[in-house]
Amino acid sequence: MRSVPPWAGVYIALAALGAAACAAPAFAPSDATPWGALALLAALYAGCEQITRFRFLGQRAARGLAGFFPVLLAGVFLMPPAAAALVALPGAALARVERGPALPRRIWRPARYAIACWAAATVHVALGGRQLLAAGSPPAPGFPLALAPAAAAALVLALVAAALDGGILATAERVPLRAAWRGLFPRSVAPVLVHGFAGLMMAVLWRSPYGPLAALLVLLPMYVSSWVFAQYHRERAAHQATIRALVQAVDIKDEYTRGHSERVGEASVLIARELGMADERIEVLRFAGILHDVGKLGVPTRLLRKDGPLTPEERRVIELHPEYGHEMVRGISFLGEARAAILHHHERLDGSGYPYGLSGRQIPEFARVVAVADAFDAMTSTRSYRRGRPVADALTELKRCAGRQFDPQMVRALVRALDRNGWHPAVTSDEPGGVQEAAEAVAAAQVPASHAPQPQIPAPHFPKPQLPHPQLPESHVPGPRGKRGPLAGDRPG
């Protein structure tokens, strides 16, 4: 079992002593502690902690649902400070410990909550919050005046908990003092405020003629909504893990373009924001940019790692990767529009692209965005077969090819985004002459396939998928592959 550093042990002991000092007045004969209400709230909080051990609708509740703040804050609003410090003690002490050492964690968590709740209740009492909740006969809360003390108490709870967490990070995890508290309060304040108003609703109903039973009804929809939110984050984490696994597989196979996928995703997001896309579509577009080259898993490795330019035959083999990629991801439902971008990101506006020779608006919007982002990063990144171009030269080349190869709207959006945000490619050459070399490479890449010898390369790892060809008018039937040439002499992808 991993031992606790000495300073962390001292810090936890001091926190436990502080919590005991906060809660001690509740046991004094002169203190009118409402033990019945305290016991009910403590049992509710313990139940919220223990529910993470069980399954709900077939899945285990997320660990983040423990530490359910509405119950704690209801105690803050209803109880004297010393009694409020006791609400979390049983549940926090008996909560599931996922990582050792267990005993220091079982001491630390109750102490942390006890101190934070005591501080929040003290502020609430000092601001007259309890009197506002119990005003009149029968009690009628003084709204909206009662909101200010409640919000202040919730903020204090978040601030004290964040301050204590920073201390344990500095002593137990040896995080530098300068970084220990960074970002802790901003991350915690929004959830605590939201839960604070739910706790205030519980306190209001508790003091109403309907009594504690009505207050308990607030918990069910709040807990279910928290569970749904936690499930969303769990599903999103699974999506991210799927994307990372696929990208890592591509990076391992095509080591010369490592990091390219993430940068294309980043550039695609910049373009999408300039176009005013909704956040949901931007997230899917980021997936499209990251996964646009996943089909390279079906291309012979020696072609992807070849030093020097590709022959036309080798290029035709690599040109299969959009179709391979589409086959790989067609069953991943959360990708949505990203699947079309993976299939069509090498189409060109003039109809000379691949795999289907789509033109103009026939090319999906996501594919037109990814095409610009892909070409931009390809030109600004140094590869094994040519140097990277400066950002300004790459943008000049994109503008030159706008209307023929790229959607001018996407090019203009990228230019505006880079003017505002800048760009930091992994490796970039800032030597002059980039535009001329890029233009010469475009011309050199456009070699008719009929003039090339027969390929002497192995077949791809699996046969070309039989995809349905889109129903296009006769005027849009793709021409020979020899008329297609990727921007800046870059390899397809």
Side-chain angles (χ1 to χ4, degrees), residues 20-45:
C22 292
F27 298 93
S30 59
D31 193 84
T33 301
W35 289 107
L38 174 59
L40 180 56
L41 287 173
L44 281 174
Y45 183 78

PDB file of all heavy atoms in Angstrom, residues 20-45:
ATOM      1  N   ALA A  20     -13.345  18.629  13.913  1.00  0.00           N
ATOM      2  CA  ALA A  20     -13.851  18.352  15.261  1.00  0.00           C
ATOM      3  C   ALA A  20     -14.184  19.648  16.001  1.00  0.00           C
ATOM      4  O   ALA A  20     -15.206  19.738  16.697  1.00  0.00           O
ATOM      5  CB  ALA A  20     -12.817  17.539  16.043  1.00  0.00           C
ATOM      6  N   ALA A  21     -13.327  20.659  15.831  1.00  0.00           N
ATOM      7  CA  ALA A  21     -13.592  21.944  16.477  1.00  0.00           C
ATOM      8  C   ALA A  21     -14.858  22.593  15.924  1.00  0.00           C
ATOM      9  O   ALA A  21     -15.623  23.231  16.662  1.00  0.00           O
ATOM     10  CB  ALA A  21     -12.393  22.874  16.297  1.00  0.00           C
ATOM     11  N   CYS A  22     -15.091  22.442  14.629  1.00  0.00           N
ATOM     12  CA  CYS A  22     -16.301  23.018  14.013  1.00  0.00           C
ATOM     13  C   CYS A  22     -17.560  22.334  14.515  1.00  0.00           C
ATOM     14  O   CYS A  22     -18.597  22.989  14.732  1.00  0.00           O
ATOM     15  CB  CYS A  22     -16.217  22.901  12.496  1.00  0.00           C
ATOM     16  SG  CYS A  22     -14.941  23.929  11.732  1.00  0.00           S
ATOM     17  N   ALA A  23     -17.506  21.007  14.688  1.00  0.00           N
ATOM     18  CA  ALA A  23     -18.702  20.247  15.040  1.00  0.00           C
ATOM     19  C   ALA A  23     -18.944  20.163  16.538  1.00  0.00           C
ATOM     20  O   ALA A  23     -20.059  19.846  16.968  1.00  0.00           O
ATOM     21  CB  ALA A  23     -18.599  18.831  14.458  1.00  0.00           C
ATOM     22  N   ALA A  24     -17.935  20.442  17.356  1.00  0.00           N
ATOM     23  CA  ALA A  24     -18.057  20.244  18.809  1.00  0.00           C
ATOM     24  C   ALA A  24     -19.208  21.019  19.432  1.00  0.00           C
ATOM     25  O   ALA A  24     -19.928  20.484  20.305  1.00  0.00           O
ATOM     26  CB  ALA A  24     -16.736  20.605  19.486  1.00  0.00           C
ATOM     27  N   PRO A  25     -19.463  22.276  19.064  1.00  0.00           N
ATOM     28  CA  PRO A  25     -20.570  22.995  19.715  1.00  0.00           C
ATOM     29  C   PRO A  25     -21.933  22.335  19.566  1.00  0.00           C
ATOM     30  O   PRO A  25     -22.842  22.607  20.364  1.00  0.00           O
ATOM     31  CB  PRO A  25     -20.546  24.360  19.018  1.00  0.00           C
ATOM     32  CG  PRO A  25     -19.139  24.536  18.563  1.00  0.00           C
ATOM     33  CD  PRO A  25     -18.699  23.154  18.167  1.00  0.00           C
ATOM     34  N   ALA A  26     -22.105  21.474  18.583  1.00  0.00           N
ATOM     35  CA  ALA A  26     -23.399  20.818  18.407  1.00  0.00           C
ATOM     36  C   ALA A  26     -23.736  19.906  19.573  1.00  0.00           C
ATOM     37  O   ALA A  26     -24.925  19.620  19.830  1.00  0.00           O
ATOM     38  CB  ALA A  26     -23.413  20.015  17.106  1.00  0.00           C
ATOM     39  N   PHE A  27     -22.722  19.439  20.304  1.00  0.00           N
ATOM     40  CA  PHE A  27     -22.941  18.510  21.408  1.00  0.00           C
ATOM     41  C   PHE A  27     -23.074  19.235  22.749  1.00  0.00           C
ATOM     42  O   PHE A  27     -23.271  18.595  23.776  1.00  0.00           O
ATOM     43  CB  PHE A  27     -21.797  17.503  21.483  1.00  0.00           C
ATOM     44  CG  PHE A  27     -21.673  16.651  20.251  1.00  0.00           C
ATOM     45  CD1 PHE A  27     -20.826  17.019  19.218  1.00  0.00           C
ATOM     46  CD2 PHE A  27     -22.433  15.495  20.120  1.00  0.00           C
ATOM     47  CE1 PHE A  27     -20.717  16.241  18.073  1.00  0.00           C
ATOM     48  CE2 PHE A  27     -22.327  14.711  18.985  1.00  0.00           C
ATOM     49  CZ  PHE A  27     -21.472  15.081  17.950  1.00  0.00           C
ATOM     50  N   ALA A  28     -22.920  20.549  22.739  1.00  0.00           N
ATOM     51  CA  ALA A  28     -23.056  21.306  23.985  1.00  0.00           C
ATOM     52  C   ALA A  28     -24.514  21.336  24.416  1.00  0.00           C
ATOM     53  O   ALA A  28     -25.421  21.455  23.579  1.00  0.00           O
ATOM     54  CB  ALA A  28     -22.521  22.723  23.804  1.00  0.00           C
ATOM     55  N   PRO A  29     -24.783  21.228  25.715  1.00  0.00           N
ATOM     56  CA  PRO A  29     -26.180  21.232  26.187  1.00  0.00           C
ATOM     57  C   PRO A  29     -26.931  22.509  25.820  1.00  0.00           C
ATOM     58  O   PRO A  29     -28.148  22.484  25.623  1.00  0.00           O
ATOM     59  CB  PRO A  29     -26.025  21.099  27.711  1.00  0.00           C
ATOM     60  CG  PRO A  29     -24.678  20.496  27.924  1.00  0.00           C
ATOM     61  CD  PRO A  29     -23.820  21.016  26.815  1.00  0.00           C
ATOM     62  N   SER A  30     -26.180  23.608  25.715  1.00  0.00           N
ATOM     63  CA  SER A  30     -26.851  24.879  25.432  1.00  0.00           C
ATOM     64  C   SER A  30     -27.217  25.047  23.961  1.00  0.00           C
ATOM     65  O   SER A  30     -27.981  25.951  23.621  1.00  0.00           O
ATOM     66  CB  SER A  30     -25.953  26.043  25.870  1.00  0.00           C
ATOM     67  OG  SER A  30     -24.704  25.985  25.166  1.00  0.00           O
ATOM     68  N   ASP A  31     -26.668  24.223  23.092  1.00  0.00           N
ATOM     69  CA  ASP A  31     -26.919  24.369  21.655  1.00  0.00           C
ATOM     70  C   ASP A  31     -28.158  23.561  21.271  1.00  0.00           C
ATOM     71  O   ASP A  31     -28.218  22.348  21.503  1.00  0.00           O
ATOM     72  CB  ASP A  31     -25.706  23.886  20.851  1.00  0.00           C
ATOM     73  CG  ASP A  31     -25.803  24.307  19.394  1.00  0.00           C
ATOM     74  OD1 ASP A  31     -25.415  25.441  19.100  1.00  0.00           O
ATOM     75  OD2 ASP A  31     -26.259  23.480  18.575  1.00  0.00           O
ATOM     76  N   ALA A  32     -29.127  24.235  20.702  1.00  0.00           N
ATOM     77  CA  ALA A  32     -30.384  23.568  20.330  1.00  0.00           C
ATOM     78  C   ALA A  32     -30.226  22.878  18.989  1.00  0.00           C
ATOM     79  O   ALA A  32     -30.735  23.336  17.959  1.00  0.00           O
ATOM     80  CB  ALA A  32     -31.520  24.581  20.299  1.00  0.00           C
ATOM     81  N   THR A  33     -29.497  21.770  18.984  1.00  0.00           N
ATOM     82  CA  THR A  33     -29.267  21.033  17.739  1.00  0.00           C
ATOM     83  C   THR A  33     -30.506  20.223  17.384  1.00  0.00           C
ATOM     84  O   THR A  33     -30.980  19.419  18.203  1.00  0.00           O
ATOM     85  CB  THR A  33     -28.063  20.091  17.881  1.00  0.00           C
ATOM     86  OG1 THR A  33     -26.909  20.867  18.216  1.00  0.00           O
ATOM     87  CG2 THR A  33     -27.809  19.336  16.593  1.00  0.00           C
ATOM     88  N   PRO A  34     -31.065  20.398  16.172  1.00  0.00           N
ATOM     89  CA  PRO A  34     -32.235  19.610  15.761  1.00  0.00           C
ATOM     90  C   PRO A  34     -31.813  18.204  15.340  1.00  0.00           C
ATOM     91  O   PRO A  34     -31.612  17.917  14.154  1.00  0.00           O
ATOM     92  CB  PRO A  34     -32.802  20.411  14.590  1.00  0.00           C
ATOM     93  CG  PRO A  34     -31.623  21.132  14.021  1.00  0.00           C
ATOM     94  CD  PRO A  34     -30.688  21.398  15.159  1.00  0.00           C
ATOM     95  N   TRP A  35     -31.654  17.321  16.310  1.00  0.00           N
ATOM     96  CA  TRP A  35     -31.071  16.006  16.033  1.00  0.00           C
ATOM     97  C   TRP A  35     -31.920  15.182  15.068  1.00  0.00           C
ATOM     98  O   TRP A  35     -31.373  14.397  14.275  1.00  0.00           O
ATOM     99  CB  TRP A  35     -30.861  15.248  17.341  1.00  0.00           C
ATOM    100  CG  TRP A  35     -29.752  15.828  18.167  1.00  0.00           C
ATOM    101  CD1 TRP A  35     -29.875  16.560  19.315  1.00  0.00           C
ATOM    102  CD2 TRP A  35     -28.351  15.736  17.889  1.00  0.00           C
ATOM    103  NE1 TRP A  35     -28.649  16.939  19.784  1.00  0.00           N
ATOM    104  CE2 TRP A  35     -27.691  16.439  18.928  1.00  0.00           C
ATOM    105  CE3 TRP A  35     -27.600  15.150  16.885  1.00  0.00           C
ATOM    106  CZ2 TRP A  35     -26.302  16.558  18.988  1.00  0.00           C
ATOM    107  CZ3 TRP A  35     -26.218  15.249  16.945  1.00  0.00           C
ATOM    108  CH2 TRP A  35     -25.584  15.951  17.971  1.00  0.00           C
ATOM    109  N   GLY A  36     -33.220  15.306  15.145  1.00  0.00           N
ATOM    110  CA  GLY A  36     -34.058  14.531  14.233  1.00  0.00           C
ATOM    111  C   GLY A  36     -33.823  14.920  12.781  1.00  0.00           C
ATOM    112  O   GLY A  36     -33.620  14.053  11.906  1.00  0.00           O
ATOM    113  N   ALA A  37     -33.860  16.208  12.492  1.00  0.00           N
ATOM    114  CA  ALA A  37     -33.612  16.674  11.129  1.00  0.00           C
ATOM    115  C   ALA A  37     -32.183  16.360  10.699  1.00  0.00           C
ATOM    116  O   ALA A  37     -31.933  15.975   9.549  1.00  0.00           O
ATOM    117  CB  ALA A  37     -33.876  18.177  11.035  1.00  0.00           C
ATOM    118  N   LEU A  38     -31.224  16.496  11.650  1.00  0.00           N
ATOM    119  CA  LEU A  38     -29.830  16.186  11.319  1.00  0.00           C
ATOM    120  C   LEU A  38     -29.662  14.727  10.955  1.00  0.00           C
ATOM    121  O   LEU A  38     -28.966  14.385   9.981  1.00  0.00           O
ATOM    122  CB  LEU A  38     -28.940  16.550  12.509  1.00  0.00           C
ATOM    123  CG  LEU A  38     -27.462  16.171  12.403  1.00  0.00           C
ATOM    124  CD1 LEU A  38     -26.817  16.832  11.200  1.00  0.00           C
ATOM    125  CD2 LEU A  38     -26.720  16.545  13.692  1.00  0.00           C
ATOM    126  N   ALA A  39     -30.308  13.840  11.708  1.00  0.00           N
ATOM    127  CA  ALA A  39     -30.195  12.412  11.413  1.00  0.00           C
ATOM    128  C   ALA A  39     -30.784  12.087  10.042  1.00  0.00           C
ATOM    129  O   ALA A  39     -30.225  11.271   9.287  1.00  0.00           O
ATOM    130  CB  ALA A  39     -30.895  11.605  12.509  1.00  0.00           C
ATOM    131  N   LEU A  40     -31.913  12.707   9.698  1.00  0.00           N
ATOM    132  CA  LEU A  40     -32.538  12.443   8.404  1.00  0.00           C
ATOM    133  C   LEU A  40     -31.638  12.913   7.257  1.00  0.00           C
ATOM    134  O   LEU A  40     -31.438  12.194   6.271  1.00  0.00           O
ATOM    135  CB  LEU A  40     -33.897  13.123   8.340  1.00  0.00           C
ATOM    136  CG  LEU A  40     -34.692  12.933   7.043  1.00  0.00           C
ATOM    137  CD1 LEU A  40     -34.879  11.462   6.736  1.00  0.00           C
ATOM    138  CD2 LEU A  40     -36.036  13.646   7.122  1.00  0.00           C
ATOM    139  N   LEU A  41     -31.090  14.131   7.379  1.00  0.00           N
ATOM    140  CA  LEU A  41     -30.207  14.636   6.323  1.00  0.00           C
ATOM    141  C   LEU A  41     -28.929  13.809   6.222  1.00  0.00           C
ATOM    142  O   LEU A  41     -28.445  13.538   5.116  1.00  0.00           O
ATOM    143  CB  LEU A  41     -29.872  16.105   6.595  1.00  0.00           C
ATOM    144  CG  LEU A  41     -30.985  17.121   6.343  1.00  0.00           C
ATOM    145  CD1 LEU A  41     -30.566  18.501   6.821  1.00  0.00           C
ATOM    146  CD2 LEU A  41     -31.349  17.166   4.870  1.00  0.00           C
ATOM    147  N   ALA A  42     -28.369  13.397   7.355  1.00  0.00           N
ATOM    148  CA  ALA A  42     -27.161  12.571   7.329  1.00  0.00           C
ATOM    149  C   ALA A  42     -27.440  11.222   6.668  1.00  0.00           C
ATOM    150  O   ALA A  42     -26.613  10.713   5.902  1.00  0.00           O
ATOM    151  CB  ALA A  42     -26.630  12.377   8.742  1.00  0.00           C
ATOM    152  N   ALA A  43     -28.620  10.646   6.954  1.00  0.00           N
ATOM    153  CA  ALA A  43     -28.969   9.373   6.312  1.00  0.00           C
ATOM    154  C   ALA A  43     -29.161   9.552   4.811  1.00  0.00           C
ATOM    155  O   ALA A  43     -28.747   8.693   4.014  1.00  0.00           O
ATOM    156  CB  ALA A  43     -30.249   8.818   6.947  1.00  0.00           C
ATOM    157  N   LEU A  44     -29.772  10.663   4.396  1.00  0.00           N
ATOM    158  CA  LEU A  44     -29.944  10.931   2.967  1.00  0.00           C
ATOM    159  C   LEU A  44     -28.591  11.063   2.269  1.00  0.00           C
ATOM    160  O   LEU A  44     -28.371  10.509   1.187  1.00  0.00           O
ATOM    161  CB  LEU A  44     -30.756  12.211   2.765  1.00  0.00           C
ATOM    162  CG  LEU A  44     -32.269  12.111   2.928  1.00  0.00           C
ATOM    163  CD1 LEU A  44     -32.878  13.498   2.844  1.00  0.00           C
ATOM    164  CD2 LEU A  44     -32.844  11.213   1.849  1.00  0.00           C
ATOM    165  N   TYR A  45     -27.684  11.804   2.893  1.00  0.00           N
ATOM    166  CA  TYR A  45     -26.384  11.990   2.269  1.00  0.00           C
ATOM    167  C   TYR A  45     -25.618  10.670   2.200  1.00  0.00           C
ATOM    168  O   TYR A  45     -24.965  10.369   1.188  1.00  0.00           O
ATOM    169  CB  TYR A  45     -25.566  13.023   3.036  1.00  0.00           C
ATOM    170  CG  TYR A  45     -24.237  13.299   2.375  1.00  0.00           C
ATOM    171  CD1 TYR A  45     -24.166  14.113   1.257  1.00  0.00           C
ATOM    172  CD2 TYR A  45     -23.076  12.706   2.844  1.00  0.00           C
ATOM    173  CE1 TYR A  45     -22.964  14.339   0.625  1.00  0.00           C
ATOM    174  CE2 TYR A  45     -21.863  12.927   2.219  1.00  0.00           C
ATOM    175  CZ  TYR A  45     -21.813  13.746   1.104  1.00  0.00           C
ATOM    176  OH  TYR A  45     -20.629  13.951   0.484  1.00  0.00           O
TER     177      TYR A  45
END
